[in-house]
Amino acid sequence: MKALVAVKRVVDYNVKVRVKADGSDVDIGNVKMSMNPFDEIAVEEAVRLKEAGKVSEIVAVSLGEKKCEETLRTALAMGADRAVHVETDAKLEPLAVAKLLKAVADKENPQILLLGKQAIDDDANQVAQMLAALLNAAQGTFASKVQIEGEEALVTREIDGGEETVALELPAVISADLRLNEPRFVKLPNIMAAKKKPLEKLSPADLAVDISPRLNTVKFAEPKARQAGVKVADVVELVEKLKNEAKVI
């Protein structure tokens, strides 16, 4: 059984990003980049499934500029067997990402497709659902537990009322939530070994996918600074301020 895992290169979660002075984009020059944390969880889950004997091969896929190779090497160091890099300098919208991943999936024919539930840069939470629709495959989103039983994947997911478990016929698309697992620490020997693992280069043209943007970004702006809070003497004053100043009641 083959697992395909999508990984994205994003600004590290510890970095506070700033908007450019002209409002044209977010300034990511000279900032630390890393693998999207949810994608890291997806890679870890694929590796655990392989260690459990449920998966025989793990293929990591990344879409984007040349520096995405670093992210793929991290996935290889974590335990992926080989990598596919669809290289493009264009900004990819969720639908374009889903189409590219669908083209790679058609080429690789995986039984399990693992993704992070969302990327921390755009927080779109759209690619997994779009990919499942394009593949006409079952989907299990916000997975907090994954079990493979024969030709089915049992996915436990968090919902408003608690948890639910869905049985998905393979092939299936599964998006990883934060509680699915805790990614392992990558050791130096694994990092060195990852440099020798195969990394295939492709382009959107090779996959015959149109990645033309459908959206036009007008402006980027930072959120307004939060005002300092005030202390009130009693409940009566609190209600008065909520009613007359905040006008929320």
Side-chain angles (χ1 to χ4, degrees):
M1 184 179 294
K2 183 187 295 186
L4 187 74
V5 188
V7 296
K8 185 178 183 181
R9 182 176 182 265
V10 299
V11 176
D12 189 85
Y13 67 93
N14 288 311
V15 175
K16 181 175 175 59
V17 295
R18 299 289 183 183
V19 175
K20 291 181 178 179
D22 60 1
S24 62
D25 205 343
V26 174
D27 188 2
I28 59 173
N30 300 316
V31 301
K32 182 182 178 182
M33 307 292 284
S34 61
M35 185 190 298
N36 178 49
F38 291 103
D39 296 345
E40 195 173 3
I41 293 170
V43 175
E44 174 66 22
E45 191 63 23
V47 173
R48 293 188 183 191
L49 289 172
K50 184 179 180 182
E51 290 173 343
K54 303 295 185 179
V55 168
S56 57
E57 184 182 26
I58 302 171
V59 182
V61 184
S62 189
L63 321 171
E65 62 181 359
K66 183 175 176 57
K67 291 182 179 179
C68 289
E69 286 184 23
E70 301 169 8
T71 306
L72 286 170
R73 292 297 179 191
T74 300
L76 292 170
M78 290 178 66
D81 297 293
R82 56 188 178 88
V84 177
H85 180 200
V86 182
E87 187 171 351
T88 175
D89 291 328
K91 283 193 174 182
L92 298 173
E93 295 173 359
L95 181 57
V97 172
K99 287 181 176 180
L100 288 169
L101 290 177
K102 194 258 184 187
V104 175
D106 288 342
K107 182 173 178 288
E108 295 288 343
N109 194 30
Q111 285 68 55
I112 302 174
L113 296 97
L114 283 161
L115 301 83
K117 71 169 185 177
Q118 65 196 75
I120 62 171
D121 51 1
D122 59 13
D123 275 334
N125 180 24
Q126 295 175 342
V127 172
Q129 293 88 332
M130 289 178 171
L131 177 59
L134 292 172
L135 289 170
N136 193 28
Q139 61 175 300
T141 55
F142 313 114
S144 58
K145 185 178 180 180
V146 176
Q147 294 176 281
I148 305 298
E149 301 290 345
E151 295 300 315
E152 285 187 338
L154 301 179
V155 177
T156 301
R157 56 192 303 273
E158 296 183 359
I159 58 174
D160 291 340
E163 292 182 342
E164 72 173 7
T165 300
V166 294
L168 310 178
E169 183 179 345
L170 300 179
V173 178
I174 300 172
S175 67
D177 206 345
L178 191 64
R179 293 174 183 83
L180 181 57
N181 60 55
E182 183 176 345
R184 67 193 65 194
F185 178 77
V186 180
K187 298 178 181 179
L188 182 59
N190 294 340
I191 296 174
M192 300 304 294
K195 295 180 179 179
K196 298 180 181 179
K197 290 184 178 180
L199 192 155
E200 182 182 1
K201 286 278 192 178
L202 296 172
S203 70
D206 295 332
L207 298 171
V209 175
D210 180 13
I211 59 171
S212 301
R214 295 167 176 257
L215 303 175
N216 179 36
T217 302
V218 178
K219 184 180 181 181
F220 285 83
E222 293 189 14
K224 293 181 180 179
R226 295 182 62 181
Q227 296 181 349
V230 295
K231 291 184 178 181
V232 295
D234 50 35
V235 174
V236 175
E237 184 182 355
L238 172 62
V239 173
E240 188 274 330
K241 287 185 176 295
L242 290 175
K243 184 175 181 180
N244 300 319
E245 292 184 19
K247 298 186 184 300
V248 295
I249 60 174

